[in-house]
């Protein structure tokens, strides 16, 4: 197998590099729009610059590399930025997928495409793969449009939807809910966390494993990949506090209307993952295990 990975600098991309570079019989080509952030950590992994929003670059790189599989993780994922910069969002989340899907189909390359729970309205979670999408913000609209591009492709493809991904990455400018809660409470800071949204948080290592299972089996269709625990961000914050003996009194329970955000959030998503369990052998960590792993990695990183 020769796997070309997009978005290798991102959280999921970094976990996939760590997972795939040790897999026997797999040749990995890491790609990203910016400079390689993983050279010091994975010097043996070959890196090729690639802006997936450029049709010419996509065609050139894929024609030269001729991968058997592409795992596409690169995207514009900040929902508020997508709401405010719709042209850029469409370029990175939809046009890029059009370029990749066409190139993969031409080369008979299997495409694993990453999508999101934000394609749903948030009225009826947790959701199975056959639930009807109805996004409530532009980010969700762009990711649903990308799913339609992949599904219309004449090539071989799998779509992996996920939810509220958390984990530790190298040289990564963004945080995530678990790290933010842990670090804020350790610093004695008061935080406000929503209690009227429901999710199934996903450990980045578990999502990377799920993507590898999809690629290895050349799976076809839509798969939901997340954790098992269905809870609110507020409940998640309480679990983080309890696990590390931090002061839960610093956590204020609020609802989503407390925050002024350009993009509306779906209230109740979260996933049912029976299909991934049965067909792929997907086995995510429990939330407690995931939080413990993240804390250990964060302490190691300093």
């Amino acid at each position: 197998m020769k796997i070309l990975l997009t978005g290798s600098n991102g959280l999921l991309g970094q976990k996939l590099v760590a997972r795939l570079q040790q897999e026997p019989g797999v040749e990995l080509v890491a790609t990203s729009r910016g400079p390689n952030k993983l050279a010091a950590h994975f010097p043996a992994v070959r890196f090729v610059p690639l802006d997936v929003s450029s049709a010419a670059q996509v065609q050139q790189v894929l024609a030269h590399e001729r991968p058997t599989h592409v795992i596409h993780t690169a995207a514009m994922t900040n929902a508020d930025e997508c709401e405010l910069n719709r042209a850029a969002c469409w370029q990175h989340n939809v046009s890029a997928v059009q370029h990749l899907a066409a190139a993969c189909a031409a080369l008979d390359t299997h495409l694993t495409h990453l999508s999101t729970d934000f394609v749903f309205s948030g009225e009826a979670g947790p959701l199975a793969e056959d639930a009807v999408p109805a996004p409530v913000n532009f980010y969700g609209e762009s990711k649903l449009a990308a799913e339609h591009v992949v599904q219309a492709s004449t090539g071989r493809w799998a779509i992996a939807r996920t939810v509220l991904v958390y984990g530790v990455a190298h040289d990564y400018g963004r945080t995530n809910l678990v790290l933010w809660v842990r670090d804020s409470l350790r610093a004695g800071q008061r935080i406000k966390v929503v209690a009227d949204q429901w999710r199934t948080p996903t450990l980045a290592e578990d999502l990377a494993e799920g993507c590898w299972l999809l690629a290895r089996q050349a799976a076809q269709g839509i798969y939901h990949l997340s954790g098992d625990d269905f809870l609110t961000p507020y409940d998640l914050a309480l679990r983080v506090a309890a696990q590390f003996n931090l002061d839960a009194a610093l956590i204020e329970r609020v609802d989503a209307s407390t925050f002024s955000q350009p993009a509306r959030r779906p209230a109740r998503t979260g996933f049912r993952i029976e299909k991934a369990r049965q067909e792929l052998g997907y086995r995510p960590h429990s939330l407690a295990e995931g939080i413990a792993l993240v804390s250990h990695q964060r302490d190691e990183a300093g």
Side-chain angles (χ1 to χ4, degrees):
M1 292 176 67
K2 182 175 184 178
I3 299 178
L4 186 142
L5 171 67
T6 74
S8 62
N9 283 336
L11 174 57
L12 174 57
Q14 292 193 24
K15 301 303 182 184
L16 276 162
V17 169
R19 176 65 181 86
L20 297 175
Q21 59 92 29
Q22 62 186 1
E23 187 65 34
V26 171
E27 179 183 356
L28 176 63
V29 180
T31 75
S32 188
R33 188 165 50 134
N36 184 15
K37 294 182 178 180
L38 298 179
H41 304 281
F42 303 105
V45 174
R46 194 157 65 85
F47 177 83
V48 176
L50 174 60
D51 180 353
V52 290
S53 67
S54 165
Q57 282 193 39
V58 168
Q59 190 172 22
Q60 180 182 11
V61 170
L62 265 69
H64 181 262
E65 297 294 340
R66 303 191 73 83
T68 59
H69 298 72
V70 166
I71 301 178
H72 177 46
T73 76
M76 187 171 172
T77 58
N78 184 300
D80 293 326
E81 287 183 9
C82 288
E83 204 72 26
L84 297 172
N85 301 292
R86 295 190 172 201
C89 173
W90 198 264
Q91 179 184 10
H92 291 294
N93 290 356
V94 185
S95 300
V97 177
Q98 291 173 327
H99 307 328
L100 280 167
C104 286
L107 295 168
D108 192 30
T109 297
H110 182 272
L111 172 63
T112 298
H113 169 69
L114 267 293
S115 192
T116 172
D117 61 318
F118 276 33
V119 300
F120 295 108
S121 65
E123 294 179 1
L127 300 140
E129 287 82 355
D130 59 357
V132 178
V136 298
N137 58 42
F138 193 74
Y139 168 62
E141 290 178 23
S142 74
K143 295 299 285 186
L144 181 57
E147 287 191 11
H148 291 158
V149 168
V150 174
Q151 290 171 308
S153 166
T154 58
R156 297 176 297 131
W157 57 268
I159 293 171
R161 293 181 182 140
T162 194
V163 185
L164 194 64
V165 181
Y166 66 94
V168 177
H170 302 288
D171 190 18
Y172 191 53
R174 296 174 60 183
T175 187
N176 52 72
L177 186 61
V178 169
L179 294 182
W180 174 71
V181 169
R182 172 181 176 269
D183 295 344
S184 297
L185 297 184
R186 280 191 170 178
Q189 297 173 357
R190 294 188 174 277
I191 57 175
K192 297 180 179 181
V193 188
V194 296
D196 60 347
Q197 295 173 359
W198 292 78
R199 304 287 187 261
T200 46
T202 310
L203 178 67
E205 280 82 357
D206 289 337
L207 181 55
E209 184 67 21
C211 291
W212 160 237
L213 292 171
L214 286 170
R216 187 182 70 184
Q217 300 178 34
Q220 182 78 22
I222 298 174
Y223 291 83
H224 283 179
L225 302 177
S226 75
D228 259 330
D229 298 79
F230 185 58
L231 73 173
T232 69
Y234 175 75
D235 292 330
L236 175 58
L238 292 180
R239 291 206 193 181
V240 172
Q243 183 140 347
F244 304 114
N245 297 314
L246 298 169
D247 186 3
L250 294 171
I251 306 170
E252 181 181 350
R253 177 189 180 118
V254 299
D255 59 41
S257 65
T258 303
F259 304 102
S260 177
Q261 297 172 302
R264 180 183 165 198
R265 269 59 171 179
R268 189 182 182 95
T269 63
F271 285 159
R272 301 187 183 279
I273 57 174
E274 289 85 357
K275 180 181 178 182
R277 284 185 184 279
Q278 294 168 6
E279 297 186 13
L280 304 176
Y282 177 67
R283 299 288 184 270
H285 290 75
S286 70
L287 183 61
E289 292 168 340
I291 294 171
L293 178 63
V294 163
S295 183
H296 175 70
Q297 291 173 345
R298 186 60 169 249
D299 288 339
E300 278 191 336

